[in-house]
Amino acid sequence: MSDVLDRLATILEARKGASEDSSYVASLHAKGLNKILEKVGEEATETILAAKDAEVSGDCADLVYETADLWFHSLVMLSHLGETHEAVLLELARRFDMSGLEEKASRQNN
Ligand SMILES: N=c1c2ncn([C@@H]3O[C@H](COP(=O)(O)OP(=O)(O)OP(=O)(O)O)[C@@H](O)[C@H]3O)c2ncn1[C@@H]1O[C@H](COP(=O)(O)O)[C@@H](O)[C@H]1O
């Protein structure tokens, strides 16, 4: 499961050179950053609405589906700008490590 982002990133990279008629990702790149950002915004809104519905129904299936759409379009945005998910994972890891150090320092001070 953990290699899904790596595998998807490889496909997204390959789609940069693909024909826009044969590939949704290539069509987004061809339409440009504004179209990609429009999709990220739409998917973020759909994710928020699905989260509100999930709170009422207790069913998170639509929320998971919409979050996957949001992550996917965010990955296309990063790829369009020459960045990858790895930079985001590194940033999360850096924060995780920092919070670990803070916890340790706080334990030592008490
Ligand atoms: N993970 C995804 C993925 N998630 C969502 N989508 C597409 O994202 C779009 C979601 O937008 P909407 O729900 O607004 O649907 P829509 O109304 O058809 O979209 P628009 O007309 O508004 O652009 C749909 O067309 C979905 O098919 C995806 N398209 C592709 N992938 C992955 O990307 C790879 C490359 O895809 P292609 O470029 O199509 O080969 C695929 O193998 C998949 O692994």
Side-chain angles (χ1 to χ4, degrees), residues 8 11 15 23-26 35 39 42-43 69 72-73:
L8 184 53
I11 294 172
R15 292 300 191 267
S23 154
Y24 174 70
V25 174
K35 178 64 185 178
K39 293 303 297 177
E42 269 177 40
E43 302 304 346
D69 274 352
F72 167 72
H73 285 90

Side-chain angles (χ1 to χ4, degrees), residues 16-38:
K16 280 182 171 177
S19 137
E20 53 181 299
D21 298 332
S22 64
S23 154
Y24 174 70
V25 174
S27 78
L28 285 178
H29 286 304
K31 286 173 187 154
L33 182 61
N34 283 352
K35 178 64 185 178
I36 295 169
L37 296 180
E38 187 186 306

Side-chain angles (χ1 to χ4, degrees), residues 11-106:
I11 294 172
L12 294 186
E13 206 48 41
R15 292 300 191 267
K16 280 182 171 177
S19 137
E20 53 181 299
D21 298 332
S22 64
S23 154
Y24 174 70
V25 174
S27 78
L28 285 178
H29 286 304
K31 286 173 187 154
L33 182 61
N34 283 352
K35 178 64 185 178
I36 295 169
L37 296 180
E38 187 186 306
K39 293 303 297 177
V40 172
E42 269 177 40
E43 302 304 346
T45 302
E46 285 169 18
T47 300
I48 290 167
L49 294 175
K52 294 299 288 179
D53 287 346
E55 187 181 37
V56 175
S57 69
D59 179 354
C60 287
D62 286 349
L63 176 58
V64 169
Y65 187 90
E66 296 300 345
T67 303
D69 274 352
L70 176 58
W71 285 18
F72 167 72
H73 285 90
S74 298
L75 291 171
V76 175
M77 173 189 69
L78 289 170
S79 167
H80 190 79
L81 295 169
E83 191 51 270
T84 72
H85 65 285
E86 282 164 349
V88 178
L89 293 180
L90 277 173
E91 175 58 23
L92 288 172
R94 186 187 68 78
R95 294 179 195 177
F96 185 74
D97 290 344
M98 270 176 51
S99 67
L101 287 176
E102 278 163 19
E103 251 176 55
K104 203 172 159 190
S106 129

